[in-house]
Amino acid sequence: MKLIMLGAPGAGKGTQGAILSEKLAIPTISTGNILRAAVKNGTPVGLQAKSFMDAGKLVPDEVIIGIVAERLAQEDCRDGYILDGVPRTIAQAEALEQNGIVFDAVVSIEISDEEIEERMEGRRFCHSCGATYHVKNAPSKVEGVCDKCGGALELRDDDKPATVKHRLEVYHAETEPLKDFYEQRGILRPVDNQPTIEATTKAVLNALNI
């Protein structure tokens, strides 16, 4: 099965993608990870991406799509894959199609901006060991202190209210139009966010008829 995970930042795409990856025995392809791997391995497209990153510029769509195509051609993607983080725009979606990369379904996790803001503002991470918590849903035993190593828990810059608002604006302007794009192709599978991770997984599996 070839899937795309869509949804606002903090909607739970990564979490659900990891669960699906295990259930379906197919890899989750995260754009950030493959970009870093391509740069590290010095592939031709990776070196191209590095030249933009070193200059502090955004990596252009054609380079991103080249890296995705390079990764999807690997043996472990033969039976399917889950894309997370790409496409981000209509232009990227069209470029994937032009490269002959097609999908069976696009799972869109539907969640309100208010819920996202509350969720992100409650996230905490340990500066020392990287463990993650949530002040409401998964609090540490002692407030502000990591259960695992005793390190101080912090709010990431990415999760600060002003940053979250900006990320949501970018999502609505650039990425949300993809829902119509894939709806027209008959492969959009909207899934309402549920109160628990397990319930959301169940809704995703139902939407995919699994």
Side-chain angles (χ1 to χ4, degrees):
M1 197 172 238
K2 296 169 182 175
L3 303 173
I4 293 174
M5 299 302 292
L6 265 191
K13 302 184 295 295
T15 301
Q16 294 302 328
I19 293 167
L20 279 176
S21 169
E22 206 169 301
K23 280 190 184 293
L24 302 173
I26 54 177
T28 300
I29 311 297
S30 149
T31 326
N33 291 349
I34 60 172
L35 191 54
R36 282 188 288 275
V39 169
K40 188 180 168 199
N41 297 336
T43 69
V45 201
L47 291 172
Q48 231 182 324
K50 188 176 186 302
S51 66
F52 287 99
M53 288 155 79
D54 287 350
K57 294 177 182 171
L58 281 178
V59 180
D61 280 355
E62 61 268 23
V63 178
I64 296 275
I65 300 304
I67 285 173
V68 171
E70 197 173 68
R71 177 66 184 86
L72 298 185
Q74 290 176 20
E75 182 63 22
D76 63 338
C77 291
R78 200 184 53 190
D79 297 328
Y81 44 78
I82 301 164
L83 277 192
D84 175 11
V86 72
R88 282 184 189 276
T89 60
I90 299 282
Q92 287 185 354
E94 288 171 343
L96 286 170
E97 284 188 352
Q98 284 154 17
N99 275 270
I101 299 166
V102 292
F103 302 93
D104 299 310
V106 176
V107 175
S108 175
I109 300 177
E110 306 296 324
I111 182 169
S112 71
D113 284 7
E114 293 72 33
E115 278 181 273
I116 292 273
E117 285 172 24
E118 190 180 316
R119 183 182 286 185
M120 305 275 265
E121 286 167 29
R123 294 205 295 203
R124 298 290 182 274
F125 86 109
C126 174
H127 203 64
S128 305
C129 74
T132 55
Y133 298 87
H134 192 281
V135 292
K136 269 191 191 167
N137 307 333
S140 56
K141 293 189 181 83
V142 178
E143 193 180 334
V145 179
C146 177
D147 294 348
K148 294 178 182 170
C149 75
L153 300 184
E154 298 176 6
L155 179 68
R156 287 181 205 269
D157 286 344
D158 265 5
D159 294 338
K160 288 181 178 167
T163 312
V164 171
K165 274 193 165 50
H166 175 68
R167 290 172 71 198
L168 285 169
E169 282 165 13
V170 171
Y171 167 75
H172 292 309
E174 295 183 3
T175 307
E176 201 165 30
L178 286 169
K179 295 200 301 199
D180 283 343
F181 182 88
Y182 287 116
E183 173 108 73
Q184 286 162 19
R185 282 149 181 76
I187 58 171
L188 186 72
R189 305 284 180 268
V191 173
D192 286 329
N193 180 59
Q194 304 296 319
T196 65
I197 289 171
E198 293 75 18
T200 304
T201 301
K202 195 176 175 193
V204 169
L205 294 173
N206 285 343
L208 294 172
N209 295 318
I210 295 171

